[in-house]
Amino acid sequence: MTYKITYKKSNIELEYCSEKHKNLSILDIAFDHDLFLKAGCRSGYCGTCQYILISGDVKYFYDPPPTAADKGSILICSCYPTSDIVIDA
Ligand code: FES
């Protein structure tokens, strides 16, 4: 499956292909395209990569992640899209 990730504040749309990008997070996809969003540990602990999920659905690699995101937000280092998504990044 292929989904569109819209990084709204950056005004960038990228494609996530579940086969090609297996094990890559929403943050990894951004970094791979030189979109350097705020991040720290990149493993779900520090909460630095928290962004509001405006629309769509994601799944965490580890559920629940080590640190819980605020309601309506996600830790983009630790999840991948399961639909087209828009995030406030
Ligand atoms: S970068 Fe630390 S939780 Fe995502």
Side-chain angles (χ1 to χ4, degrees):
M1 296 293 295
T2 299
Y3 302 117
K4 185 172 66 177
I5 304 172
T6 302
Y7 302 84
K8 190 172 180 191
K9 279 187 182 160
S10 304
N11 197 27
I12 291 178
E13 288 182 4
L14 298 175
E15 236 178 37
Y16 175 89
C17 173
S18 56
E19 285 121 39
K20 181 178 166 191
H21 298 129
K22 192 174 182 185
N23 299 323
L24 293 184
S25 68
I26 295 165
L27 180 66
D28 293 329
I29 298 293
F31 274 37
D32 282 355
H33 291 83
D34 297 328
L35 174 59
F36 300 110
L37 301 172
K38 62 183 168 77
C41 67
R42 298 184 74 170
S43 55
Y45 285 92
C46 71
T48 306
C49 68
Q50 177 171 281
Y51 288 94
I52 295 169
L53 177 64
I54 297 168
S55 65
D57 296 303
V58 302
K59 186 167 175 47
Y60 281 92
F61 295 112
Y62 300 101
D63 203 7
T67 299
D70 292 343
K71 188 172 169 50
S73 296
I74 56 173
L75 302 176
I76 65 169
C77 74
S78 301
C79 60
Y80 56 92
T82 55
S83 71
D84 290 345
I85 65 167
V86 179
I87 60 173
D88 191 30

